Amino acid sequence: MIPVPTLHITLLVTHLARQEQVDLAAAALAQAEPSLAELLGGAELALPFSGVAHFRNDVVFVALAPGPHRKALHSLAELLCGRLEERGLLEGDARGFEPHLTIMKLSRAPKLRSQGIKRVDPSLYSNYTSRFFGEQTVERLDLCSMLKKKQQDGYYHTETSLQLGGHRRSEPDEAELLRISKRLVEDAVSRAVQQYKQETLQNGGGPNAGQPPGNADGDAAMKTTDANAATDSGK
């Protein structure tokens, strides 16, 4: 089962190989705010969830009910795709957008797979295929990493967020301040290491000449980041 704090709707998935690309994607999200506000017309985006379905019997999800909110969500996803595509940050075809709220994934249970279980038995959720689960107002868009360590509450590592529908986060909590501080330190160390290496090469040093103590190169290496913009579907 998917932990409640991790529940989200994925709008798009792309591959950001360098921190510069992550920063560009974060800037694109911030710059899209006026267009997103215009798209929503100042109204909140409330999503009603109804019924349970599956993808290939190994992913089970709560479905998004029909209605005009689906068009708004699709338009929102297309707008973000367009902004990333303009900057060369969108890989693959993101046009097959099908909003869903994943609640169960067989890939989370490798022991079951090793026992030959390759599908989720539909009888486990047959009583909920027509159940109405309620509405959730979309409060923000997150640029998340699928590879970095998750936050303390279990939600994905978030590079940046954009509040929607008039929702504004008050003062950042202690965990958020720690995340911001850590990222600033990592970025500063990374830039210092890159500058050190460039200066060493310019001064005629070899690849191992003047290696900073403590293997700073390895400690501050740029990490491959897969990021996805996701709507926070609440708890």
Side-chain angles (χ1 to χ4, degrees):
M1 301 298 294
I2 304 298
V4 171
T6 312
L7 294 176
H8 65 279
I9 292 180
T10 300
L11 297 180
L12 63 94
V13 176
T14 191
H15 177 68
L16 304 176
R18 302 183 306 278
Q19 184 61 43
E20 293 92 333
Q21 292 179 315
V22 175
D23 294 339
L24 280 174
L29 183 60
Q31 292 167 5
E33 183 173 13
S35 299
L36 292 171
E38 182 180 357
L39 189 155
L40 296 176
E44 293 184 337
L45 179 57
L47 304 179
F49 292 92
S50 179
V52 175
H54 66 88
F55 292 132
R56 300 177 301 277
N57 282 314
D58 62 1
V59 174
V60 180
F61 62 90
V62 176
L64 190 61
H69 51 274
R70 294 184 68 98
K71 182 178 179 181
L73 198 60
H74 275 268
S75 298
L76 193 152
E78 288 179 355
L79 190 154
L80 294 175
C81 285
R83 294 302 177 91
L84 294 185
E85 197 168 20
E86 290 171 358
R87 292 162 174 79
L89 299 175
L90 190 62
E91 289 193 357
D93 184 9
R95 305 304 175 186
F97 174 57
E98 181 57 41
H100 61 280
L101 190 66
T102 300
I103 58 173
M104 184 188 300
K105 295 174 86 172
L106 195 56
S107 61
R108 291 177 56 87
K111 288 185 178 180
L112 294 180
R113 285 187 175 275
S114 66
Q115 296 171 10
I117 298 177
K118 299 181 179 179
R119 61 192 295 271
V120 178
D121 188 344
S123 66
L124 293 174
Y125 55 87
S126 59
N127 291 336
Y128 302 93
T129 53
S130 301
R131 175 75 61 87
F132 178 71
F133 293 95
E135 284 190 352
Q136 175 65 45
T137 300
V138 178
E139 296 182 353
R140 71 177 192 266
L141 299 180
D142 295 329
L143 179 66
C144 299
S145 170
M146 298 168 65
L147 298 180
K148 291 183 179 179
K149 184 179 179 180
K150 291 184 177 181
Q151 301 175 21
Q152 289 182 341
D153 62 0
Y155 191 62
Y156 295 97
H157 172 90
T158 303
E159 298 289 348
T160 189
S161 297
L162 179 63
Q163 304 297 314
L164 294 181
H167 291 278
R168 287 291 180 269
R169 192 179 292 176
S170 54
E171 293 297 323
D173 57 24
E174 184 177 352
E176 183 175 5
L177 289 174
L178 286 174
R179 287 195 299 272
I180 294 173
S181 299
K182 181 180 178 182
R183 181 181 174 189
L184 289 173
V185 171
E186 289 176 346
D187 289 348
V189 172
S190 176
R191 287 193 296 270
V193 169
Q194 293 302 318
Q195 183 178 357
Y196 181 91
K197 292 170 68 176
Q198 290 176 2
E199 292 177 353
T200 300
L201 292 174
Q202 290 173 358
N203 294 331
N208 295 321
Q211 178 73 16
N215 190 22
D217 186 34
D219 294 338
M222 293 291 183
K223 298 179 181 178
T224 301
T225 302
D226 279 329
N228 67 319
T231 60
D232 179 5
S233 60
K235 301 178 181 179

